Each structure stands twice: as structure tokens, then as C-alpha cells.
Amino acid sequence: MVFKRLLGALGAGGPSVDTVLAEGPVLPGGTLTGEVRLGGGEARARVEDITLELLARVEAESEEDEHEGVVVFERHHVGGDFTLEAGEERVLPFALAVPWETPTTELYGQSLGIVLGVRTEVALGGARDKGDLDPLVVSALPVQEAVLDAFGRLGWGFRSADLELGRIGGTGQRLPFYQEIELTPPPALAHAVNEVEVTFLASATGAEVVLEADKRGGLLGGGHDALTRFTVAHADVPALDWASEVDGWITHLLEHSSAYGDHGSYYSHADPYGGGHTDHHGHTDHHGHTDHHESRGAGRAVLAGAAGLAVGAAGGLVAAEVIDEAGDWFEGDEGSEDGDEE
């Protein structure tokens, strides 16, 4: 058997590892399955720990600049505390729960340009080796497909998608970053809005759909942002007239140019997805003060975290780890990391 990675922790002749993911994409909230395949080296080795990490390439913005980094947003223990004999081949199956807020990388089989990865970390011989790195493909949930399909039927077009480091105030967001899908307006609305950014924050019961519009300026003032959110239960997705639903969302967004704040009062903790589709809005400035009036200028209700800041995530998720290794993850991956050199 040929293994993809030669672990450098023990030098030449050390063990090798290959992580094989099950074929096909996974869904947010689903289960990622596969196998970690170990190959013994020239001598026996003590394998202390094998961990899988889910990583995302994200953008971090500040007043000075914008740069990319890598966030580890989930870890999963596969095994360890055993001896791998020389030449031995061992297979460790795994089943990893994918967080509900995991970004979508494709829609109807078409890539959105989002980069996610699965990395295998092996601890042996008193050292940790960053081994296998594989791309992770995540499909859209039915609610995401329904909303985006409705935008398409209403004449909106896809511009781009990215991941932003930070938190959207007033939501139940749990990961330290969020996905923005940028849509261009149909001709009938081009005079009023430059684009609308859609963010989905899913959970086991439903999804918050956050809409932010970059509105064009009129004769008496410059453009500004408008932001609001709506909640949908997964169980309601098949029964809704989505074109009518999203058309109402857009109308509300463009007629109400306020954005919601970062305080818990704007989020229903008791039943965030019950009772159909509610919207909450208010504006938060960069100092965290809430304002229910119109959002003027570039004010946004996103509390962006600084690059490198460790953010505690709820629900057992690991603290965010930002790593300066964005680069080209998968192009030339084998050539640059294979072999026994560190």
C-alpha cells in the first residue's frame, strides 16, 4: 500500500499516514466518515494520538488592511495510545459530526469558491506531525437551496462567496466566522441596490437568514448598508412559496434601512425558530451601541474579530485558531509535503 504522507516526526524511515474521506459531499449538521490508514516504518513507533481538524480559509478585515488566514473550527479524536509495529498497516475508521454552521462550498454541484479542508494530526515519539490535508466538500441544506433558488427566479445573480472572520451581532452564531454569498440585483432594482449579501446560520431546528444590502445613494446623500434577518424552521421549507417569501424579504430590506444590534434582546433565545418567519433589526456601531434609527454611511452590525484572536465557541467547539498558512492548500500539495523532511 502506498501512503500519501510520510510523517516527519521520526525522520527517515518513519511511519506514514493517509486519510481517506467517504466519497461525495457532506451536509452541514451531517456526518463526515472515512478512514485513517497508518503504515509502519522501519521500526516500531508509539502512536500517542490521532486527531482530525476541520479548517477554513477566511478573510480578516481591519481598518488598516485585509488578509487571509486559516481557522481550525472543529477537532475530532480518532484514536491513539497504541504501538505501530514496523511494516504494520492499521486502519482506523471515523465518523465526525459536521457543525451546522459549516459553510457551503458548492450549490447544485457548482463550486462557490469556498476552501475547506480536513487535516490529520498525529502525535508520536513525543512530537506532533501535521500530516494529511484533504479538501472538504459541503453541499447546501434544503433551506439554503430554497432561498438561493428563489433569488435566482426573481432575477438575482451570483457574484461571489467568501468567509469573514467575526460575528454577526444579535444572532445565535456559534462559529468564529460566517459565510457571505453576494448577489447582484435584477435590472428593476439596480437603481436602488448594488448587491445583497446572504448569510445562513443553521442549527438543528432551522436557520437564521441574514440579509445585508449595499444600497445606492440618492440625490441628497451617499449610499449606506441595510441589514435584517429572518428565521425559518427546517420543517417549514417544503410548504413555503419561496419566491413570494424572498420577495417580501427583499422589499422589507430595501424599505427599512436599519440594521440590528449585537444585544441578546434582538434574538429569541426561548424559541429562535418557532412561529414561522420573524425579522429583527437595529443598528450597532463600532463601539457596540445600539441604535434603532437609519443606518447611514458604512455602519455594519458585524463585530469583526481581530486576526489571531482566540474566540471561545459554544457547544463543545474548539477555540478559534488562526494560522498564517492560507497559501494554495491543495495545488502541489503532495509535492511540497511528501517525503521524510520536516
Side-chain angles (χ1 to χ4, degrees), residues 148-217:
L148 295 175
D149 180 65
F151 268 101
R153 283 185 286 152
L154 292 170
W156 292 75
F158 173 79
R159 172 172 287 168
S160 65
D162 60 17
L163 304 182
E164 297 283 346
L165 183 67
R167 296 184 179 276
I168 302 177
T171 70
Q173 181 182 346
R174 299 173 70 179
L175 291 185
F177 58 85
Y178 56 93
Q179 181 175 20
E180 288 184 336
I181 299 174
E182 299 178 0
L183 304 177
T184 57
L189 293 177
H191 69 284
V193 62
N194 293 310
E195 67 178 19
V196 164
E197 296 173 345
V198 183
T199 294
F200 297 96
L201 300 174
S203 75
T205 53
E208 292 177 273
V209 185
V210 182
L211 303 180
E212 180 176 9
D214 177 12
K215 300 181 71 174
R216 296 188 185 276

Side-chain angles (χ1 to χ4, degrees), residues 52-86:
L52 295 181
E53 298 177 329
L54 299 187
L55 303 93
R57 180 186 295 170
V58 304
E59 295 181 0
E61 296 183 359
S62 66
E63 294 183 359
E64 291 77 21
D65 60 4
E66 175 181 315
H67 66 278
E68 289 187 336
V70 177
V71 171
V72 177
F73 64 95
E74 180 68 297
R75 287 189 173 95
H76 176 78
H77 173 71
V78 175
D81 195 22
F82 62 86
T83 299
L84 186 67
E85 299 292 340

Side-chain angles (χ1 to χ4, degrees), residues 24-335:
V26 297
L27 284 172
T31 302
L32 176 66
T33 60
E35 299 175 340
V36 176
R37 302 172 181 175
L38 293 171
E42 297 176 359
R44 67 169 53 182
R46 187 66 183 172
V47 179
E48 299 154 3
D49 178 72
I50 301 174
T51 298
L52 295 181
E53 298 177 329
L54 299 187
L55 303 93
R57 180 186 295 170
V58 304
E59 295 181 0
E61 296 183 359
S62 66
E63 294 183 359
E64 291 77 21
D65 60 4
E66 175 181 315
H67 66 278
E68 289 187 336
V70 177
V71 171
V72 177
F73 64 95
E74 180 68 297
R75 287 189 173 95
H76 176 78
H77 173 71
V78 175
D81 195 22
F82 62 86
T83 299
L84 186 67
E85 299 292 340
E88 178 186 356
E89 297 179 358
R90 184 176 297 213
V91 177
L92 302 176
F94 63 84
L96 187 160
V98 179
W100 278 98
E101 288 182 15
T102 299
T104 300
T105 67
E106 67 170 27
L107 184 65
Y108 299 115
Q110 298 297 312
S111 173
L112 298 179
I114 299 299
V115 180
L116 303 180
V118 181
R119 183 170 63 189
T120 308
E121 182 182 82
V122 181
L124 71 169
R128 287 191 174 271
D129 197 298
K130 301 290 187 181
D132 212 6
L133 180 63
D134 298 281
L136 175 63
V137 180
V138 181
S139 290
L141 292 166
V143 62
Q144 296 169 318
E145 289 185 345
V147 171
L148 295 175
D149 180 65
F151 268 101
R153 283 185 286 152
L154 292 170
W156 292 75
F158 173 79
R159 172 172 287 168
S160 65
D162 60 17
L163 304 182
E164 297 283 346
L165 183 67
R167 296 184 179 276
I168 302 177
T171 70
Q173 181 182 346
R174 299 173 70 179
L175 291 185
F177 58 85
Y178 56 93
Q179 181 175 20
E180 288 184 336
I181 299 174
E182 299 178 0
L183 304 177
T184 57
L189 293 177
H191 69 284
V193 62
N194 293 310
E195 67 178 19
V196 164
E197 296 173 345
V198 183
T199 294
F200 297 96
L201 300 174
S203 75
T205 53
E208 292 177 273
V209 185
V210 182
L211 303 180
E212 180 176 9
D214 177 12
K215 300 181 71 174
R216 296 188 185 276
L219 294 177
L220 301 179
H224 58 278
D225 292 345
L227 191 148
T228 190
R229 73 178 174 93
F230 304 84
T231 59
V232 182
H234 293 308
D236 291 340
V237 172
L240 290 174
D241 178 352
W242 278 105
S244 176
E245 192 79 16
V246 171
D247 186 55
W249 293 357
I250 296 169
T251 299
H252 176 92
L253 178 66
L254 298 184
E255 289 181 351
H256 300 79
S257 58
S258 57
Y260 60 85
D262 65 320
H263 298 288
S265 60
Y266 294 103
Y267 177 72
S268 175
H269 294 278
D271 186 14
Y273 300 112
H277 329 290
T278 59
D279 60 277
H280 306 265
H281 46 88
H283 170 60
T284 297
D285 65 18
H286 296 294
H287 302 286
H289 304 302
T290 304
D291 176 14
H292 298 283
H293 300 289
E294 288 189 344
S295 168
R296 299 295 181 185
R300 297 178 56 157
V302 176
L303 303 180
L309 177 65
V311 182
L317 296 179
V318 299
E321 177 186 352
V322 181
I323 309 168
D324 292 327
E325 57 177 45
D328 293 328
W329 283 9
F330 308 117
E331 291 80 355
D333 186 44
E334 295 183 14

